[in-house]
């Protein structure tokens, strides 16, 4: 078959149960249009079009082709999609073809066939193992530049445009009695057993179709049916059962603690037209009582010079392309194997029309029956031999075959040359133990099959079939049933009777030869590159070099050479690398051990992990009952925790400074109205409520009168301020506590913790009432008049309703609790109404205050107003290292009490030292200058580095009421420094800002405005 | 300026319509209806003390974790070993609270009205559990989360209480400040199946 | 993600819980003669064993109750869950409790009411 005719020939001749050759579909690869069939993967369709060259390798930019047929593919990584939908680094072997699919190759410039990076390959003497570590180590200050170079050179594909992914992604929690990963023979058998026994069962299969290798296996007969027919029948039986969930196109990529599995379902990736309501992918978060792993096995490549050329392929993959996709991947093939199984792959291809010229077996004594079968088919055999080199530029064209010593470590004769366009290779099988290993199951080395198999398990988990090293179909099926029965029993279920199907298949003696590198007959480092890890471009020489340089631990060699890293996770490379490492260390594989397999088993999209936590649903947005009013008034908002609070209300094109100045002035001259609904509120009840508060707050609470309010500071047990707020005694055994907006949930948890764990004897119940009450704070000289205008049955006179007390009654006919407390220093009322009336209260106050100049103000003006009074904000003036004394609030610590949280810690010797950072006020020399928050204070602006820093500014504003800027700062020994001058060096090169240390109470220090009389 | 994030803007909660047809035809997979006209009382009392309320409530209050008592239009949800959420008709509130106070006089308890703090939604539709499973780790299988069960858990990032008081629907309780988030989340999660939000006026806004 | 069996609500995902760190740290009574250093054993020092660790958890998104957990930090296996105020009953849990250096610390002795105080005066073992 001439090569240029092959394209048409293969398409016309394609037939298999998995593809529909009647439904041609078109796609593009690197801009060129091709045709494939429904059921193809991108890889099978490319191969059907005789396209083997699919990418350039990571480091050396060597031409690479399709090597595998599934998740193990290390070479054929492509980008799929356009615009925001581009997904890089997909394995072409896993991309299902759809009409109009656009794929591009990666890591090549300017084109796949002509790549300038290929020079790396010529320069490879200078690009050895640990290249990055060696080259980019010194001097450290160059790292920034190196990082740029590395980042450019590294990374294979390019992601789509930022923030433009148009697809939907879903997540789903699920619970099952038994989860089975893998829908091949063993998985389906275990599934049938579990399902018939009434268990809640999930079976997940990575591929679009069920059956695993049954679909690529010519000769298996199960209960008189072909393997594929049996699988289809089993699946249709399972589909009818209500207790069974079947997920195809679903990869279990993570196995976490306590049988928590994460699975990626590709819902619409394979559809040309993606329905808008369907997610692209769905993340399954599954809790399983029992897990059965039936994840199969991956064929191992052989390590020989030129083993990475396009046209060099795993033997099982060649058979899969033939049987499953109807694609003959070559015309003149050579097989190199160390085991019996691959002979049958070669026979299958030969019978289908690919002339197998030679079967090369590294063993001295393969089965005579196989040799006879080959001879009968006209295939040459070279026993006890190996391919010592493959040659070709963009495709394999020629191999050298030479006889090997019995151990396979030396050449014993001259090489022969054979032309070819396909090299099939088989180095034995690697059970897919990734999930078992992620679940912290242990592995043991199987001396007969030369592979790692699961040994002890850590979770409720069993491995069956090929992934357990049981490569024989009948044994695997038996194992699967036994495992399912064990799992059912562990779940206290009853196992239904199920008959083992009759399975006939070619008997294969599974005795591969341990041969990890085919000798070249030349010194190490010469004779061509023999790849161990194709994806990370790690050669056998790299591993040898690493050992020579002193890297002996398998974990060190992995990181130094990068073998088995990235998306490959050692699928094809692991054992060959370990074996070469063992050889170089004159050790054996079990002693060398294996690296840890980590999740994800295959790459997963970030979009799926984010799910619906994006855009407006990224994080809950909490709104107050008056939220709509603020929005209608054009307020700007700020996040305070999850709350959205009105920040300021710009009028007529005001900027933030102008708006805040207007709001701050209005609150002092007339009246301001603040939505304070977000304050945390806790209802505290019980005989011991006062005693409880007395232990929680630093000040005294036992004698607080009913209807009286008191401000309190809470410390943590280390004596540092954690929250503050006003608490009111509603009745002898009943208090209403307020907390900071951000601290509400934390304070409630904190109080509950003390009640439940330390003082269970106290009779106190707590209930969060944060959202029960809407709060409008009316503040300013006109506040009382506005309340009167709004209509109230409460006597607002100072005699009846004094500062720091609470009255219940009505405002504008709404039931209200009014707290006369002040965070502005003005006459101020915090009016609480049931939340449903919040909006009515607000609009009524705005109406009543119209003639008094009422002005709504936001959180920014609130900050300025309180700073004018020197009131702290927990979290702004404090950061978890600040005591009440540091704040100059020693007056609130009543240390005569027998106990309060933080009391003993505040008495520590270190708390009394004079050099603690203490809160002070600052006045700038230039009254218009505002020190940036966070700026650091120094005594001498001209001091050469290292500069002695005194502390930093916590709050800083321009105060329109005072006509100058004000700031607060935490400065070392600040309380003793009042009157001193400090400087704040600026980052932008401007001269340092000069300021004098003052008290923090800038405005109305005598508090005369609290009564509104001035 | 305050140290808070200056980039904060208006909430960008996904603006989805109140009705999304089922893409596969037929009834919407999820129906959401706000429940109003109820009083919610958060009751803190030991099992022993709260047992004295059984007559007033009409049936025994739940003492088993994650169980729900149903009597007429009233519901009582177990929230904790000494915490129960009572839902009664608003018309009964005044009398109920009066009698409750009289019955529990001189005992250690707290009965706090939190009607305005909590939003109640009734979730119906054939796919209601599939929608919830997108954001809730509870095992909602009908045989396990059966009628008469309730549970506090997370729906995505919001704390919720679910109460299965009927065969074909369930109640969802969330804090009012989270109700925009929860409603938007449920709508967005139900796009796959279609939904209908009953737009009767919400009582608290 | 761990699955933690809340003593009230049954098995729930870890994300519903918050961990409160080491359990069985008794709070010294306020009338005590602890030095700052001895008090620091209570205030600051926490154990971080490789193996069985007794720790406090709270069912934050559920019933809000605190409880104790004996968890193997190496395997993440949960050996035992027991109420606040109780001590572990499993063999490994008891061993972890008794092996903790804190049992001999002055801070712990100062946490016991006078009637229960032992005569131990040895300084804290590390």
């Amino acid at each position: 078959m001439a090569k240029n005719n092959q394209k048409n020939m293969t398409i016309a001749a394609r037939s298999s149960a998995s593809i529909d050759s009647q439904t041609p579909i078109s796609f593009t690869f690197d801009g060129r249009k091709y045709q494939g069939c429904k059921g193809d993967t991108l890889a099978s369709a490319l191969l059907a079009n005789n396209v083997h060259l699919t990418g350039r390798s990571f480091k050396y930019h060597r031409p690479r082709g399709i090597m595998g047929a599934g998740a193990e593919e290390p070479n054929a990584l492509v980008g799929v999609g356009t615009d925001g939908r581009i997904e890089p680094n997909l394995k072409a072997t896993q991309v299902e073809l759809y009409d109009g699919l656009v794929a591009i190759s990666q890591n090549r410039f300017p084109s796949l066939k002509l790549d300038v990076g290929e020079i790396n390959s010529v320069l490879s003497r200078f690009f050895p193992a640990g290249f990055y570590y060696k080259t980019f180590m010194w001097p450290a200050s160059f790292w920034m530049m190196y990082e740029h170079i590395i980042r450019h050179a590294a990374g294979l594909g390019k992601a789509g445009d930022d923030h433009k992914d148009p697809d939907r992604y879903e997540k789903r929690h699920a619970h099952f009695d038994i989860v089975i990963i893998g829908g091949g023979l063993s998985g389906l058998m275990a599934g049938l057993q579990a399902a018939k026994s009434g268990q809640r069962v999930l079976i997940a299969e990575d591929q679009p179709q069920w059956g695993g290798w049954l679909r690529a296996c010519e000769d298996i007969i199960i209960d008189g049916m072909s393997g594929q027919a049996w699988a289809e029948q089993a699946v249709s039986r399972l589909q009818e059962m209500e207790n069974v969930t079947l997920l195809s196109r679903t990869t279990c990529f993570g196995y976490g603690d306590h049988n928590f599995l994460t699975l990626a379902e590709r819902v619409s990736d394979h559809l040309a037209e993606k329905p808008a309501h369907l997610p692209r992918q769905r993340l399954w978060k599954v809790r399983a009582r029992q897990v059965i792993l039936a994840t199969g096995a991956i064929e191992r490549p052989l390590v020989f010079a030129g083993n990475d050329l396009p046209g060099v392929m795993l033997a099982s993959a060649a058979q899969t392309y033939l049987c499953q996709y109807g694609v003959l991947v070559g015309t003149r093939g050579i097989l190199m194997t160390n085991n019996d199984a691959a002979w049958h792959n070669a026979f299958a291809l030969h019978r289908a029309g690919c002339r197998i010229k030679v079967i090369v077996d590294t063993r001295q004594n393969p089965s005579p029956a196989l040799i006879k079968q080959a001879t009968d088919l006209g295939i040459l055999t070279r026993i006890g031999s190996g391919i010592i080199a493959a040659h070709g530029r963009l495709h394999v064209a020629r191999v050298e075959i030479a006889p090997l010593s019995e151990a396979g470590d030396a050449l014993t004769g001259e090489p022969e040359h054979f032309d070819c366009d396909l090299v099939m290779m088989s180095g034995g099988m690697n059970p897919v133990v990734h999930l078992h290993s992620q679940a912290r199951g242990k592995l043991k080395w199987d001396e007969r099959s030369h592979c790692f198999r699961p040994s002890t398990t850590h979770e409720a988990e069993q491995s069956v079939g090929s992934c357990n090293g049981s490569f024989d179909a009948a044994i695997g099926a038996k194992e699967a049933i036994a495992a399912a029965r064990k799992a059912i029993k562990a779940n206290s279920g009853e196992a239904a009777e199920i008959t083992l199907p009759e399975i006939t298949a070619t008997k294969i003696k599974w005795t591969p030869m341990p041969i990890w590198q085919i000798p070249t007959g030349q010194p190490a480092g010469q004779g061509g590159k023999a790849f161990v890890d194709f994806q990370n471009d790690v050669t056998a020489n790299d591993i040898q070099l690493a050992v020579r340089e002193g890297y002996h631990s398998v974990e060190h060699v992995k990181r130094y050479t990068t073998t088995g890293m990235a998306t490959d996770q050692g699928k094809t490379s692991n054992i060959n690398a370990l074996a070469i490492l063992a050889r170089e260390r004159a050790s054996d594989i079990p002693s060398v051990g294996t690296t840890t397999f980590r999740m994800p088993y295959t790459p997963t999209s970030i979009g799926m992990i984010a799910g619906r936590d994006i855009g407006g649903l990224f994080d809950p947005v909490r709104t107050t009952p008056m939220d709509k009013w603020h929005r209608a008034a054009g307020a700007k908002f700020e996040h305070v925790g999850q709350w959205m609070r009105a920040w300021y209300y710009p009028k007529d094109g005001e900027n933030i400074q102008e708006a805040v100045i207007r709001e701050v002035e209005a609150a002092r001259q007339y009246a301001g109205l603040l939505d304070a609904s977000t304050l945390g509120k806790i209802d505290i009840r019980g005989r011991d409520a006062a005693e409880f508060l007395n232990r929680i707050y630093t000040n005294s609470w036992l004698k607080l009168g009913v209807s009286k309010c008191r401000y309190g500071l809470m410390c943590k047990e280390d004596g540092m301020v954690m929250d503050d707020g006003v608490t009111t005694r509603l009745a002898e055994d009943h208090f209403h506590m307020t907390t900071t907006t951000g601290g509400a949930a934390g304070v409630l948890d904190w109080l509950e913790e003390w009640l439940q764990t330390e003082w269970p004897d106290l009779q106190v119940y707590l209930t969060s009432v944060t959202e029960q009450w809407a709060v409008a704070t009316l503040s300013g000289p006109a506040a009382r008049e506005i309340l009167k205008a709004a209509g109230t049955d409460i006597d607002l006179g100072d005699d009846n309703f004094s500062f720091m007390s609470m009255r219940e009654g009505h405002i504008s006919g709404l039931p209200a609790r009014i707290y006369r407390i002040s965070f502005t220093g003005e006459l101020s009322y915090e009016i609480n109404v049931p939340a449903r009336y919040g909006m009515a209260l607000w609009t009524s106050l705005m109406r009543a205050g119209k003639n008094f100049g009422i002005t709504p103000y936001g959180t920014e003006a609130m900050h300025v107003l309180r700073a004018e009074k020197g009131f702290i904000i927990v979290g702004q003036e404090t950061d978890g290292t600040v005591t009440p004394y540091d704040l100059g609030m020693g007056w609130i610590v009543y240390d005569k009490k027998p106990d309060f949280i933080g009391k003993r810690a505040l008495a520590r010797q270190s708390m009394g030292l004079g050099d603690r950072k203490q809160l002070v006020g600052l006045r700038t020399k230039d009254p218009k200058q505002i020190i940036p928050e966070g700026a650091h204070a120094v005594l001498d602006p001209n001091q050469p580095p290292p500069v002695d820093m005194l502390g930093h500014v916590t709050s800083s504003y321009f105060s329109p009421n005072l006509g100058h800027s004000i700031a607060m700062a935490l400065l070392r020994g600040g309380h003793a420094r009042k009157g001193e001058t400090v400087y704040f060096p600026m980052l932008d090169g401007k001269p340092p800002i000069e300021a004098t240390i003052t008290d923090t109470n800038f405005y109305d220090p005598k508090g005369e405005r609290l009564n509104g009389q001035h | 300026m305050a140290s808070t994030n200056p980039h904060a803007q208006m909430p960008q909660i996904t603006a989805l319509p109140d009705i999304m047809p089922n893409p596969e035809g037929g009834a919407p997979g999820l129906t959401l209806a706000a429940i109003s006209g109820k009083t919610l009382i958060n009751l803190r009392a030991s099992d022993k003390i709260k047992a004295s309320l059984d007559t007033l409530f009409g049936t025994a209050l739940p003492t088993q974790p994650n169980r729900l008592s149903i009597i007429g239009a009233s519901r009582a949800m177990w929230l904790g070993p000494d915490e129960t959420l009572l839902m009664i008709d608003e018309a009964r509130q005044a009398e109920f609270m009066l009698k409750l106070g009289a019955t529990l006089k001189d005992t250690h308890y707290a009965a706090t009205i939190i009607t305005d703090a909590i939003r109640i939604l009734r979730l119906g539709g054939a796919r209601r559990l599939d929608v919830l499973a997108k954001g809730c780790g509870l095992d909602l299988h009908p045989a396990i989360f059966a009628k008469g069960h309730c549970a506090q858990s997370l729906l995505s990032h919001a704390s919720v209480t679910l109460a299965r008081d009927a065969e074909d629907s369930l109640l969802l309780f969330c804090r009012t400040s989270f109700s925009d988030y929860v409603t938007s989340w449920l709508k967005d999660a139900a796009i796959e199946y279609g939904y209908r939000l009953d737009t009767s006026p919400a009582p608290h806004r | 993600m761990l699955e933690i069996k809340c003593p009230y609500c049954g098995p729930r995902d870890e994300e519903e819980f918050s961990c409160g760190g080491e359990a069985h740290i008794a709070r010294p009574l306020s009338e005590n003669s602890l030095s700052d250093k001895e008090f620091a054993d209570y205030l600051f020092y926490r154990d971080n064993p490789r193996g069985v660790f007794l720790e406090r958890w709270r069912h934050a998104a559920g019933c809000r109750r605190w409880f104790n957990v004996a968890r193997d930090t190496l395997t993440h296996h949960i050996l035992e869950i027991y109420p606040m105020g109780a001590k572990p009953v499993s063999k490994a849990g008891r061993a972890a409790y008794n092996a903790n250096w804190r049992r001999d610390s002055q801070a712990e002795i100062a946490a016991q009411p006078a009637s229960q105080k032992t005569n131990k005066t040895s300084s804290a073992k590390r």
Side-chain angles (χ1 to χ4, degrees), chain C residues 104-122:
Chain C
D104 290 332
S105 73
Q106 288 301 313
E108 179 140 324
I109 293 163
Q112 295 162 3
S115 56
Q116 292 174 26
K117 264 183 201 168
T118 63
N119 292 323
K120 274 183 199 167
T121 49
S122 61

Side-chain angles (χ1 to χ4, degrees), chain A residues 834-972:
Chain A
R836 71 184 74 184
Y837 304 125
M839 184 67 103
L841 171 73
W842 185 274
T843 51
S844 153
L845 290 171
M846 284 303 295
R847 212 165 33 237
K850 205 173 170 206
N851 295 333
F852 298 93
I854 194 170
T855 300
Y857 68 98
T859 49
E860 190 64 25
M862 175 191 82
H863 279 227
V864 178
L865 288 163
R866 63 88 203 181
E868 288 178 339
K869 289 296 300 171
F871 295 150
I872 62 150
I873 287 185
V874 171
Q876 186 153 347
E877 270 64 56
T878 71
D879 59 3
T881 68
V882 180
T883 69
Y885 297 108
D886 297 338
L887 295 170
M889 294 172 75
W891 53 268
I892 205 170
V893 183
Y894 182 60
D895 53 14
K896 306 250 176 342
K897 284 197 286 189
D899 192 14
F900 64 85
I901 298 169
K903 183 185 175 193
R904 174 63 185 84
L906 284 171
R908 283 176 294 159
Q909 199 188 357
S910 55
M911 294 294 100
L913 301 178
D915 65 347
R916 290 188 58 80
K917 287 188 180 170
Q918 295 164 333
L919 190 71
V920 294
L922 292 170
R923 277 200 63 179
T924 51
K925 191 178 173 196
D926 172 357
K928 297 275 176 248
Q929 252 187 326
I930 302 169
I931 317 171
E933 282 175 2
H936 279 264
V938 300
L939 284 173
D940 175 6
N942 299 316
Q943 186 187 354
V947 179
D948 185 26
M949 291 185 288
L950 279 185
H952 68 279
V953 173
T954 58
S955 293
S956 184
Y957 314 90
F958 182 76
S959 162
N961 296 305
L962 291 160
H964 60 76
S965 75
I966 53 172
M968 288 190 270
L970 283 167
L971 300 186
R972 203 167 64 226

